Structures are given as C-alpha cells and as structure tokens.
Amino acid sequence: MQEQIIKIEGMSCQGCVRSVERVLNALAGVEQVAVSLEEGQAKVRFDPQRVGEAELRAAVTSAGFAAS
C-alpha cells in the first residue's frame, strides 16, 4: 500500500468533504480516505498496482475541486 496527500482547493463545508471522500472511495484500489476541510487536503491509502496518483487527482477534479 502507498499513502498520498492531495492538496484540495475549493472545499467550503462538510458536504464538500463528503463529496471528495465519496469519489475517492469509489476508485478500485483505494483502501482508506481521510479528508480535512481545515487543512484542505485528503490523505489517501491505496494500492498503486490498481490506481495511480493521477487517477486520484482526476477523481477530485471530477467532483468540482482543484487537486494538486
């Protein structure tokens, strides 16, 4: 397993946090997601054989937020 911290811009409420958690958890290979509104980031534990960092960022972007 690998852990990645993704910086997220544009979250303003707990609904935003839930949206980001939902899209990341929906990806095959993602084991654990912890999103922090205060820190503006998501900590993601995933299997790099099944999902890549670019896919994680693309999922956040698809939910309407900027990810880096």
Side-chain angles (χ1 to χ4, degrees):
M1 288 293 160
Q2 183 174 327
E3 197 168 278
Q4 176 73 32
I5 293 179
I6 301 170
K7 293 289 186 186
I8 303 171
E9 295 179 30
M11 293 191 301
S12 60
C13 64
Q14 288 302 315
C16 297
V17 169
R18 286 189 296 275
S19 293
V20 172
E21 288 175 341
R22 185 175 53 250
V23 296
L24 288 171
N25 278 314
L27 296 173
V30 171
E31 181 181 279
Q32 183 178 14
V33 176
V35 179
S36 171
L37 177 62
E38 294 78 19
E39 295 178 10
Q41 68 182 28
K43 186 184 296 186
V44 185
R45 186 170 164 85
F46 63 99
D47 180 351
Q49 301 288 341
R50 298 181 67 198
V51 65
E53 294 174 22
E55 292 169 285
L56 299 174
R57 287 191 301 275
V60 173
T61 301
S62 75
F65 306 98
S68 59

